[in-house]
Amino acid sequence: MTDAKYFTTTKKGEIFELKSELNSDKKEKKREAVKKVIASMTVGKDVSALFPDVVNCMQTDNLELKKLVYLYLMNYAKSQPDMAIMAVNTFVKDCEDPNPLIRALAVRTMGCIRVDKITEYLCEPLRKCLKDEDPYVRKTAAVCVAKLYDINAQLVEDQGFLEQLKDLLSDSNPMVVANAVAALSEINDSSPSGVPLVEMNAPTINKLLTALNECTEWGQIFILDSLSNYNPKDEREAQSICERITPRLAHANAAVVLSAVKVLMKYMEMINDTEFVTVLTRKLAPPLVTLLSSEPEVQYVALRNINLIVQKRPDILKHEMKVFFVKYNDPIYVKLEKLDIMIRLASQANIAQVLSELKEYATEVDVDFVRKAVRAIGRCAIKVEQSAERCVATLLDLIQTKVNYVVQEAIVVIKDIFRKYPNKYESIISTLCENLDTLDEPEARASMIWIIGEYAERIDNADELLESFLEGFADENSQVQLQLLTAIVKLFLKRPADTQELVQQVLSLATQDSDNPDLRDRGYIYWRLLSTDPAAAKEVVLAEKPLISEETDLLEPTLLDELICHIASLASVYHKPPSAFVEGRAGLRKALPARGEGGVASSSVETTSAHPSVIPSHDTLIGDLLSMDLNPVVQTAAQPASGFGGGHVDLLGGGLDALLDVGGGGGMSQAAPPPGGGGLLGDIFGLGGGDQSGATVMPKVLWLPAVKGKGLEISGTFSRRNGQIYMDMTFTNRAMQTMSGFAVQFNKNSFGLLPAQPLQVPAPLTPNQSCEASLPLNTTGPVQKMDPLNNLQVAVKNNVDVLYYACLVPMHVYFVEDGQMDKRVFLQTWKDIPTQNEVQYTLTNMSHSSDSVVQKMQQNNVFTIAKRNVEGQDMLYQSLKLTNGVWVLVEIKIPPGGSVYTLSIKSVTVDVAAGVYQAYENILRS
Amino acid sequence: MIHSLFIINVSGDVFMEKHWKSVISRSVCDYFFEEQKKISSPVDMPPVVATPHHYLITIFRNNLYFVATTTTEVAPLFVLEFLHRVVDIFEDYFGECNETIIKEHYVIIYELLDEMLDNGFPLATESNILKELIKPPNILRTIANTVTGKTNVSCTLPSGQLSNIPWRRSGVKYANNEAYFDVIEEVDAIIDKNGSTVFAEIQGYIDCCIKLSGMPDLTMTFVNPRLLDDLSLHPCIRFKRWENEKVLSFIPPDGNFRLISYHISSQSIVAIPIYLKHYISFREGKLDITVGPKQTMGRQVEEVSLEIPMPKSVANCNLTASQGRYTFDPVSKVLHWDVRKIDITKLPNIKGSISLGAGAGPVEANPTVTVHFVINQMAVSGLKVSRLDMYGEKYRPFKGVKYITKAGKYQFRL
């Protein structure tokens, strides 16, 4: 007999049939009917219509029937909340049952019924069950608290369940402890503040470590995960925890192993004892290798994590290269990851093995894999200098196979090899040229063209080759067009005698027939350079190129450190911090503990505290701000005029718009915009009223020091002119290279501040040059409350990198022009706002008359509604409105001849008070 | 934590769903199907897929996808391990785990899943405990239940659930007390064109079938424990004793389980039990392969079979095998040769011609041969159990240790 019979239907209609069976007197028939209902439910059929009939079967002594009804209830209670109430009584009764299995089952099921009305009845039984004599019931109840928190967090806090849950951490039964830990960490994750609910301290840790040895494998995972959030107070504690965790590395469950690895990797950071670290490192290798003999899915997750571990501590797996060799029937996702790690581990010692493997892979069938293998050979050549020659030979062998995509990939990587080792392997150029016709992918074509241009003097027929490309110029990908333009200019500069016609042709194609602004602008630049000063053109176009870095696609160190703290989690699979992809996650970020004596505790506490500091660390904004690629930009576009931009970084800093649209459209006759064009534009806008109106502008402050900005220094301030907010900035290039491609973005902020137009910085910004830019802003962007309220996080991109800083926007720029309130409305509003929303401040050392206060504030859109004199004191009543429509009412007391003013600020949103006070202070002191 | 589970077959039917928290609409599986469209082989399904609100974590086993969804940051390995455990338990309950079996036992499966997770937290995942809670189906019991009106759900709390040894139930009784240990070693190897070993390692397991009454306390010692420097232990093993004395000391679960798994890495020298002598040329259309034993310590090599995925351009193979049978599937282009035993006096050989399809271009790559074999009574690493002792119980059990060496991923590049 099988359950398949539960699916047989009759003609009358299934639901009808089931209904009558459920109401049958015979127990046996009832049970069979409930089974049928459950069976329908598992396949996703809607049987909610039977709700009352099924619930009627709930009061029974038969445990199986009870369980089945409970299963049904969990699924459908949400859709039938009123009916679900009918079940409450039985639940409450079952929670008192002498059989612990039934007590546990009842409390467990109740927690799964996500109906608000029912949760109220749940509190009392749950409280009892948390103190139940039977550990099975206690551990079930612990999980139930987490469920309840998910439904109604406030209720859990009010009823003190969190306290009870914390008490369970010291329960005598390890399983209960493990479940309590799991429940607490889930509650922590979902709590909006992100503040840890439980202060991890030495006694708690000790309890957890004891439970760790005795609880189930799953419990061990939860405990290890919460241990990884703890920062040991000193090195000795870290060592002793490490010692107690190490046995977990031999666990059969891969998840336990990886969680243990996470804790060890984190704690290792704060251990200075090199011998201890060496021993630990040695112990880490075998379990990681073992993970690779598990199921392919497990392997995949393990490999993603190993990728991080290898970047952080290359020593751990340096002898284990062979386990990453690809088996031909590995799933593709495993193959690609293994390949990545092979390259990371490649060194002089093992390069021969690696190369012969890679060569083998390059003949496989899977195209993606083959391409990656070919690329890997190129990366090896760049990484291990001694092997470069062999790599090149291997690549040449592969080109001989004439397999189209292999040849194309090979040419792309050979271009990189040429850049890394100039004047070494140019003898192979002729072989490359043989394959010119087969190249159909833009990247390969562009690479080939770059090679021809770069070595034009050695290729006799370079002009013919380039000319052949030129025929289909209009149909080429823009990457190829740009490259072709540069290559022909290079050729012209090297062999001016016979290529003049060619260069004319390409310049006219680029400047007159193309709609692509990048191409046009590059064309004009070359044209002007060539026509005014060929010597300078030579210097620019044929300039020495910066070396390319050895390791590509390494993670940024700060991000890597953060990800190390997230080993074994989804973040480690995506190689992104959780804040970048987990919904509703508060700003809680993990950081590796600082190495060293003393100060460890304090500094690490700070980094994990809930509120991010005003100026976030470099990486903090990545992801949530720009959702940009995390790969560090390879520094290839450094010399804009000559650079061949690596993969897809094109001439002027790439797809990030802005820049040249301003001057570019003009054409030859128009002079290039003078340096500071952006600033000029700003001035024009600013002329109207800014200075006349006398609005206060704070002096510029240094926002981004050159040290942090990779050579770019930014200082600036905010102002309000003619009803528009401006960000006035001074960019100074303190680096040795020119900068270009400036663009700006803001993170979400309290007032939705957003650039109204692209940033216009005259580029290139040569070393030690500085320029002004005034960026009009509007307040229509996405809003997110910041702390402090007027904090603004900014990202500035240029050809070097993306740079981040935070600055404070003076509040008064948000004061809008129509902030004058009618007298009566003012009076009414003042009364309506409750007194707890009134905040008082004092302004000291003031020397204004009340009239000058009125005037000064008026210029900044703060309007005086009334003025009274009470007992010799001047009382000013003022109103202002913020860009987001929040009204703020202010009362100022100015004692005769006194220098201390009292400010009372009232607003519905009391959060703004501090900012408004700051604004008064700024305005009156300016 | 794990939110929901969907079981999907290769043709894309979601035929089972289970939710541990609120119900997630099965439309979330559409992201899975989208991903599925991109892959060429079902095994290539990426294990972790992000969707706007959920993460889909998938395993592919027995031609079925088990897709777990989660909404929050969770350890993916925890989910993967759990899913594999689910399949293990199903196999343990029903003998195998496929679509038909699952459909036949919907209700038990639903009950099992409910018992295994609570709100996404694992509850009982030991088969010993589950079997006490929910009796596995068998015909006799089903009939008995129908007659007596009993159910297959137990009313009592499993005794092992909360003890310090959750993996063993109390009150176990057997008439014949037996303990069998299988030392299984799988050789993973890649051997290149010239016959030299690119990479070889051994993945070993000790699987047990233990039917002992009461609370037996076992110790197992090895002649050469130094071989085992990288191993994963069943939770029942006392780690300290292993660390200090290199003795496996444990109170075993009842029934079948894996005691340890170990790994002998590529850095040690691993014996290669089989070699191939081969000649293949697509240009000439010739194939000639001979299989021979090597380093087998005189044991017979059995159940030998070869699998050669031919390039797409191969239309047919016309071969003669000196022993065994061969098949060539013209659709999947896989040549399969079932060799059986290797006779040392007359080594098995297959040769003949390969014909390429008309108009097919040059063949780019030579295929990789996967070889399967079994060698009984030998552990290729040389691992040997020296003693097995029992304490805590009075009776004398019957003990047996068996050694088997198998091919894992054993591949020759031609």
Side-chain angles (χ1 to χ4, degrees):
Chain A
M1 276 216 301
T2 72
D3 294 348
K5 64 181 179 207
Y6 299 128
F7 290 105
T8 52
T9 52
T10 54
K11 280 178 193 159
K12 260 189 180 173
E14 201 180 8
I15 299 286
F16 179 82
E17 188 82 0
L18 282 172
K19 210 178 181 80
S20 72
E21 282 178 36
L22 284 170
N23 292 318
S24 151
D25 297 333
K26 287 187 192 143
K27 272 187 184 171
E28 184 59 25
K29 206 162 191 184
K30 256 190 193 176
R31 200 169 73 212
E32 291 300 299
V34 175
K35 279 191 178 181
K36 281 185 201 168
V37 174
I38 298 288
S40 306
M41 195 172 83
T42 52
V43 287
K45 269 187 209 167
D46 183 21
V47 282
S48 57
L50 295 166
F51 200 88
D53 308 282
V54 177
V55 171
N56 275 338
C57 304
M58 193 169 156
Q59 273 177 328
T60 167
D61 305 330
N62 185 314
L63 190 64
E64 187 184 16
L65 186 54
K66 199 181 261 297
K67 270 191 175 177
L68 292 173
V69 175
Y70 279 1
L71 283 178
Y72 179 89
L73 267 174
M74 285 187 226
N75 228 12
Y76 286 119
K78 182 98 187 158
S79 56
Q80 311 257 350
D82 296 328
M83 294 285 198
I85 295 282
M86 288 163 46
V88 164
N89 253 338
T90 323
F91 279 128
V92 175
K93 219 173 79 193
D94 282 354
C95 285
E96 310 268 327
D97 198 279
N99 184 345
L101 201 58
I102 293 185
R103 292 204 296 277
L105 188 62
V107 76
R108 190 178 139 196
T109 314
M110 268 179 104
C112 293
I113 296 180
R114 309 177 60 85
V115 176
D116 275 341
K117 285 180 202 157
I118 291 200
T119 47
E120 289 166 26
Y121 296 96
L122 178 61
C123 293
E124 273 322 298
L126 178 59
R127 200 187 312 284
K128 264 186 218 154
C129 287
L130 280 167
K131 290 187 191 139
D132 200 284
E133 54 178 22
D134 195 303
Y136 183 75
V137 181
R138 288 203 300 276
K139 83 172 194 165
T140 315
V143 176
C144 190
V145 177
K147 294 180 196 171
L148 194 57
Y149 191 90
D150 193 31
I151 304 168
N152 190 342
Q154 197 55 46
L155 187 73
V156 171
E157 277 164 31
D158 294 348
Q159 296 276 338
F161 285 136
L162 290 181
E163 300 310 313
Q164 276 193 292
L165 198 55
K166 285 178 207 167
D167 292 343
L168 289 185
L169 286 180
S170 17
D171 198 280
S172 56
N173 187 296
M175 248 76 81
V176 179
V177 178
N179 272 17
V181 170
L184 279 171
S185 61
E186 193 182 66
I187 293 174
N188 247 356
D189 280 350
S190 58
S191 81
S193 63
V195 185
L197 291 167
V198 185
E199 190 55 50
M200 288 289 178
N201 50 28
T204 325
I205 293 296
N206 213 13
K207 275 175 216 154
L208 293 185
L209 285 169
T210 315
L212 181 64
N213 290 325
E214 290 168 21
C215 67
T216 65
E217 50 201 304
W218 314 110
Q220 294 183 13
I221 300 171
F222 299 132
I223 292 180
L224 286 168
D225 280 348
S226 62
L227 282 176
S228 75
N229 292 329
Y230 173 66
N231 289 298
K233 58 181 181 298
D234 55 24
E235 196 182 327
R236 268 189 44 208
E237 190 185 6
Q239 281 196 20
S240 86
I241 297 178
C242 284
E243 272 162 12
R244 292 178 72 173
I245 285 173
T246 318
R248 296 302 121 208
L249 293 175
H251 202 284
N253 187 319
V256 175
V257 175
L258 203 55
S259 291
V261 169
K262 160 161 66 178
V263 182
L264 294 175
M265 283 294 289
K266 184 178 171 188
Y267 286 11
M268 243 195 302
E269 278 305 297
M270 56 182 299
I271 296 175
N272 289 313
D273 181 349
T274 45
E275 197 178 327
F276 187 87
V277 172
T278 319
V279 173
L280 208 53
T281 313
R282 210 174 298 139
K283 282 184 182 163
L284 277 174
L288 288 173
V289 170
T290 306
L291 290 181
L292 297 182
S293 43
S294 336
E295 295 83 0
E297 298 91 1
V298 175
Q299 283 186 45
Y300 170 74
V301 176
L303 284 165
R304 290 295 283 174
N305 281 287
I306 288 173
N307 200 327
L308 295 175
I309 294 169
V310 166
Q311 287 185 53
K312 183 74 192 167
R313 294 184 179 269
D315 287 352
I316 294 181
L317 290 165
K318 67 176 173 213
H319 299 301
E320 300 289 350
M321 171 61 89
K322 282 186 173 179
V323 296
F324 299 104
F325 285 0
V326 172
K327 299 185 182 104
Y328 94 99
N329 47 358
D330 281 335
I332 183 72
Y333 55 82
V334 169
K335 283 184 176 173
L336 295 176
E337 290 306 317
K338 279 188 174 173
L339 204 52
D340 230 28
I341 295 172
M342 277 173 70
I343 300 162
R344 294 210 193 283
L345 289 176
S347 66
Q348 208 187 332
N350 56 24
I351 193 74
Q353 273 181 332
V354 174
L355 264 184
S356 73
E357 276 298 298
L358 291 176
K359 197 177 171 186
E360 195 69 42
Y361 304 159
T363 61
E364 282 219 24
V365 267
D366 191 299
V367 178
D368 283 343
F369 181 58
V370 170
R371 282 173 182 276
K372 196 154 181 185
V374 176
R375 255 177 214 235
I377 297 176
R379 277 170 70 186
C380 283
I382 290 164
K383 191 176 173 196
V384 186
E385 190 168 349
Q386 293 81 355
S387 75
E389 198 159 341
R390 290 167 71 173
C391 294
V392 172
T394 311
L395 287 169
L396 275 183
D397 282 354
L398 290 172
I399 288 177
Q400 300 302 351
T401 63
K402 304 272 177 203
V403 179
N404 188 285
Y405 52 86
V406 174
V407 174
Q408 308 213 38
E409 279 307 318
I411 285 179
V412 173
V413 294
I414 285 177
K415 179 245 334 176
D416 285 339
I417 296 178
F418 281 176
R419 286 206 49 194
K420 170 81 182 184
Y421 309 109
N423 302 319
K424 243 178 142 175
Y425 301 109
E426 282 74 13
S427 52
I428 65 169
I429 288 176
S430 59
T431 322
L432 302 184
C433 290
E434 287 164 21
N435 294 287
L436 220 52
D437 304 335
T438 57
L439 307 179
D440 53 9
E441 290 162 21
E443 202 182 351
R445 284 176 83 88
S447 301
M448 194 63 219
I449 293 170
W450 181 84
I451 292 171
I452 298 174
E454 189 65 19
Y455 298 101
E457 67 273 29
R458 309 186 194 198
I459 308 171
D460 295 337
N461 59 344
D463 47 344
E464 285 167 36
L465 294 176
L466 291 175
E467 201 172 354
S468 69
F469 280 106
L470 206 54
E471 279 160 21
F473 189 78
D475 303 328
E476 295 281 6
N477 179 294
S478 64
Q479 186 188 3
V480 182
Q481 291 177 333
L482 285 167
Q483 211 40 252
L484 195 53
L485 172 62
T486 308
I488 292 179
V489 172
K490 278 184 192 164
L491 174 71
F492 172 70
L493 288 168
K494 287 174 180 174
R495 291 164 42 184
D498 50 348
T499 54
Q500 202 153 6
E501 201 176 317
L502 194 61
V503 85
Q504 290 282 356
Q505 204 183 340
V506 76
L507 285 175
S508 76
L509 276 173
T511 52
Q512 282 157 30
D513 300 340
S514 169
D515 298 331
N516 180 346
D518 282 345
L519 185 64
R520 233 165 34 209
D521 294 334
R522 198 191 283 198
Y524 281 130
I525 291 171
Y526 286 153
W527 201 323
R528 247 172 271 166
L529 268 172
L530 290 174
S531 55
T532 52
D533 189 355
K538 211 161 192 167
E539 246 171 73
V540 170
V541 180
L542 303 178
E544 191 98 342
K545 279 157 288 298
L547 282 182
I548 51 177
S549 62
E550 289 197 357
E551 288 260 16
T552 43
D553 69 5
L554 276 180
L555 290 172
E556 242 181 297
T558 38
L559 177 66
L560 179 63
D561 283 354
E562 189 182 357
L563 288 175
I564 289 288
C565 299
H566 287 285
I567 282 178
S569 69
L570 279 169
S572 69
V573 174
Y574 288 111
H575 289 189
K576 282 181 188 168
S579 49
F581 60 91
V582 175
E583 278 177 65
R585 176 93 192 176
L588 183 70
R589 304 176 69 90
K590 296 183 187 174
L592 283 176
R595 187 185 290 270
E597 324 289 325
V600 172
S602 63
S603 69
S604 41
V605 165
E606 200 174 298
T607 42
T608 49
S609 73
H611 298 292
S613 51
V614 176
I615 303 208
S617 61
H618 182 57
D619 68 299
T620 323
L621 290 163
I622 296 182
D624 41 37
L625 182 57
L626 291 174
S627 52
M628 273 183 184
D629 272 348
L630 296 168
N631 301 337
V633 179
V634 188
Q635 302 209 353
T636 39
Q639 261 116 346
S642 69
F644 173 79
H648 3 40
V649 185
D650 67 19
L651 182 63
L652 288 164
L656 230 131
D657 60 71
L659 191 50
L660 281 169
D661 293 30
V662 194
M668 282 298 280
S669 56
Q670 191 196 5
L680 186 73
L681 223 64
D683 289 348
I684 295 167
F685 278 110
L687 272 179
D691 297 330
Q692 292 164 343
S693 78
T696 308
V697 179
M698 304 301 296
K700 284 186 180 172
V701 287
L702 184 62
W703 282 340
L704 181 74
V707 195
K708 281 193 178 171
K710 307 216 168 151
L712 180 66
E713 186 181 286
I714 304 177
S715 57
T717 185
F718 292 86
S719 61
R720 186 176 187 89
R721 303 193 286 265
N722 283 0
Q724 175 126 32
I725 304 172
Y726 288 91
M727 180 154 95
D728 302 317
M729 289 172 286
T730 308
F731 291 84
T732 311
N733 182 355
R734 302 244 183 255
M736 301 304 288
Q737 56 180 354
T738 53
M739 293 180 178
S740 61
F742 288 96
V744 69
Q745 281 198 35
F746 294 171
N747 199 358
K748 284 184 211 165
N749 54 73
S750 317
F751 290 92
L753 212 54
L754 205 67
Q757 42 175 270
L759 179 65
Q760 289 166 359
V761 178
L765 193 58
T766 52
N768 272 326
Q769 190 193 353
S770 64
C771 69
E772 307 280 329
S774 191
L775 182 69
L777 311 173
N778 57 34
T779 51
T780 52
V783 173
Q784 180 187 325
K785 197 180 159 194
M786 304 296 290
D787 186 32
L789 206 61
N790 52 348
N791 187 17
L792 177 71
Q793 299 177 330
V794 183
V796 171
K797 176 189 183 290
N798 62 13
N799 58 327
V800 178
D801 204 347
V802 182
L803 311 161
Y804 304 93
Y805 63 86
C807 54
L808 295 174
V809 184
M811 200 70 158
H812 65 83
V813 301
Y814 293 119
F815 298 172
V816 294
E817 282 67 20
D818 60 342
Q820 182 146 26
M821 218 178 224
D822 182 75
K823 246 184 194 164
R824 251 171 300 162
V825 180
F826 184 92
L827 211 61
Q828 192 59 41
T829 321
W830 185 270
K831 277 185 201 156
D832 286 349
I833 300 174
T835 38
Q836 62 261 34
N837 278 17
E838 180 171 334
V839 191
Q840 291 218 340
Y841 295 95
T842 48
L843 291 164
T844 52
N845 287 333
M846 289 292 166
S847 53
H848 295 284
S849 67
S850 59
D851 286 336
S852 82
V853 170
V854 171
Q855 193 203 342
K856 271 210 163 225
M857 295 315 295
Q858 178 100 39
Q859 285 166 348
N860 285 293
N861 296 337
V862 179
F863 303 92
T864 308
I865 310 298
K867 187 174 159 187
R868 282 197 295 162
N869 190 299
V870 183
E871 296 161 7
Q873 285 192 9
D874 273 334
M875 308 277 278
L876 295 179
Y877 294 91
Q878 301 183 318
S879 76
L880 61 98
K881 193 169 118 185
L882 297 173
T883 48
N884 54 4
V886 172
W887 285 92
V888 181
L889 312 184
V890 184
E891 177 197 71
I892 314 178
K893 269 185 217 159
I894 305 175
S899 63
V900 181
Y901 301 174
T902 313
L903 213 59
S904 305
I905 301 175
K906 255 190 169 186
S907 172
V908 183
T909 31
V910 71
D911 301 341
V912 301
V916 172
Y917 159 67
Q918 199 58 49
Y920 267 81
E921 173 104 25
N922 290 340
I923 295 168
L924 294 176
R925 286 203 195 283
S926 68
Chain B
M1 297 299 118
I2 301 171
H3 217 112
S4 304
L5 170 73
F6 298 93
I7 307 181
I8 304 174
N9 63 18
V10 268
S11 46
D13 302 323
V14 186
F15 65 91
M16 164 99 202
E17 59 182 64
K18 165 77 186 153
H19 307 276
W20 284 278
K21 294 186 170 184
S22 50
V23 177
I24 294 176
S25 156
R26 65 165 63 184
S27 61
V28 74
C29 295
D30 293 349
Y31 295 102
F32 173 89
F33 296 130
E34 240 165 67
E35 212 50 49
Q36 200 186 16
K37 271 186 217 139
K38 294 182 204 156
I39 56 172
S40 49
S41 153
V43 292
D44 287 342
M45 185 69 203
V48 184
V49 176
T51 78
H53 301 285
H54 301 94
Y55 301 93
L56 306 180
I57 300 180
T58 309
I59 64 163
F60 182 68
R61 257 180 85 172
N62 304 343
N63 261 328
L64 294 176
Y65 292 105
F66 295 81
V67 184
T69 65
T70 78
T71 45
T72 48
E73 170 70 84
V74 38
L77 271 191
F78 151 70
V79 182
L80 292 172
E81 279 279 343
F82 178 80
L83 290 175
H84 280 293
R85 193 66 54 86
V86 167
V87 182
D88 291 342
I89 294 281
F90 288 174
E91 284 176 347
D92 194 35
Y93 259 72
F94 313 113
E96 53 183 324
C97 170
N98 56 38
E99 190 177 349
T100 335
I101 294 276
I102 293 178
K103 279 186 174 165
E104 268 177 23
H105 300 281
Y106 264 124
V107 176
I108 295 190
I109 284 194
Y110 213 68
E111 285 172 340
L112 277 174
L113 288 175
D114 198 53
E115 223 35 79
M116 289 179 80
L117 274 191
D118 175 19
N119 194 38
F121 299 111
L123 202 58
T125 52
E126 290 288 336
S127 112
N128 264 287
I129 292 173
L130 284 169
K131 281 184 178 164
E132 274 187 73
L133 279 169
I134 301 161
K135 297 272 186 308
N138 67 37
I139 293 176
L140 206 71
R141 189 175 302 120
T142 324
I143 294 169
N145 284 351
T146 331
V147 176
T148 58
K150 275 193 189 154
T151 68
N152 61 351
V153 171
S154 151
C155 287
T156 48
L157 199 57
S159 47
Q161 179 98 350
L162 288 159
S163 68
N164 280 338
I165 37 171
W167 54 86
R168 188 175 180 88
R169 61 197 169 99
S170 55
V172 182
K173 268 214 176 81
Y174 286 103
N176 297 321
N177 288 295
E178 310 163 310
Y180 296 105
F181 296 86
D182 291 354
V183 179
I184 303 165
E185 297 196 339
E186 293 181 354
V187 185
D188 289 352
I190 301 175
I191 292 152
D192 74 5
K193 224 180 279 191
N194 312 317
S196 52
T197 311
V198 176
F199 153 87
E201 60 177 17
I202 297 168
Q203 193 54 48
Y205 315 97
I206 300 185
D207 283 351
C208 318
C209 174
I210 293 189
K211 295 179 171 173
L212 298 173
S213 315
M215 277 287 166
D217 197 334
L218 304 178
T219 55
M220 181 185 255
T221 51
F222 297 94
V223 177
N224 38 11
R226 272 197 308 147
L227 282 172
L228 306 174
D229 64 339
D230 174 11
L231 78 177
S232 311
L233 309 172
H234 189 277
C236 69
I237 295 169
R238 298 178 180 101
F239 184 75
K240 278 269 148 55
R241 266 198 90 182
W242 171 254
E243 275 284 88
N244 302 332
E245 306 166 40
K246 296 291 168 194
V247 167
L248 292 179
S249 152
F250 56 99
I251 295 173
D254 186 41
N256 295 312
F257 68 100
R258 175 160 293 169
L259 183 64
I260 61 169
S261 57
Y262 57 93
H263 181 252
I264 293 174
S265 73
S266 51
Q267 286 171 50
S268 352
I269 296 157
V270 173
I272 295 297
I274 273 196
Y275 72 89
L276 285 192
K277 227 167 67 190
H278 52 82
Y279 177 78
I280 187 164
S281 163
F282 291 104
R283 214 153 23 89
E284 299 164 43
K286 268 191 187 163
L287 172 100
D288 186 341
I289 297 176
T290 310
V291 194
K294 189 181 171 185
Q295 298 172 311
T296 60
M297 299 183 231
R299 305 283 179 199
Q300 184 137 52
V301 187
E302 295 166 82
E303 296 179 39
V304 180
S305 69
L306 274 72
E307 209 178 85
I308 313 174
M310 289 290 182
K312 293 272 173 288
S313 46
V314 172
N316 211 346
C317 299
N318 199 352
L319 308 169
T320 34
S322 70
Q323 75 175 72
R325 250 194 260 166
Y326 85 91
T327 53
F328 177 74
D329 178 359
V331 181
S332 64
K333 311 281 182 197
V334 176
L335 174 66
H336 189 93
W337 178 28
D338 199 6
V339 187
R340 306 286 170 75
K341 279 182 197 166
I342 295 184
D343 180 3
I344 310 172
T345 54
K346 187 172 161 287
L347 293 178
N349 168 276
I350 191 166
K351 62 178 165 189
S353 62
I354 318 167
S355 47
L356 297 186
V363 176
E364 296 128 27
N366 281 342
T368 301
V369 183
T370 306
V371 178
H372 297 278
F373 60 83
V374 173
I375 307 172
N376 282 311
Q377 297 157 19
M378 178 185 99
V380 73
S381 67
L383 183 75
K384 219 169 168 55
V385 176
S386 74
R387 285 186 68 88
L388 182 71
D389 298 304
M390 190 184 79
Y391 305 94
E393 295 290 333
K394 294 252 163 13
Y395 57 84
R396 290 179 66 84
F398 183 81
K399 301 174 286 193
V401 179
K402 201 166 82 181
Y403 298 93
I404 304 171
T405 297
K406 286 185 193 174
K409 286 184 171 173
Y410 197 87
Q411 302 178 347
F412 289 86
R413 292 176 181 159
L414 298 187

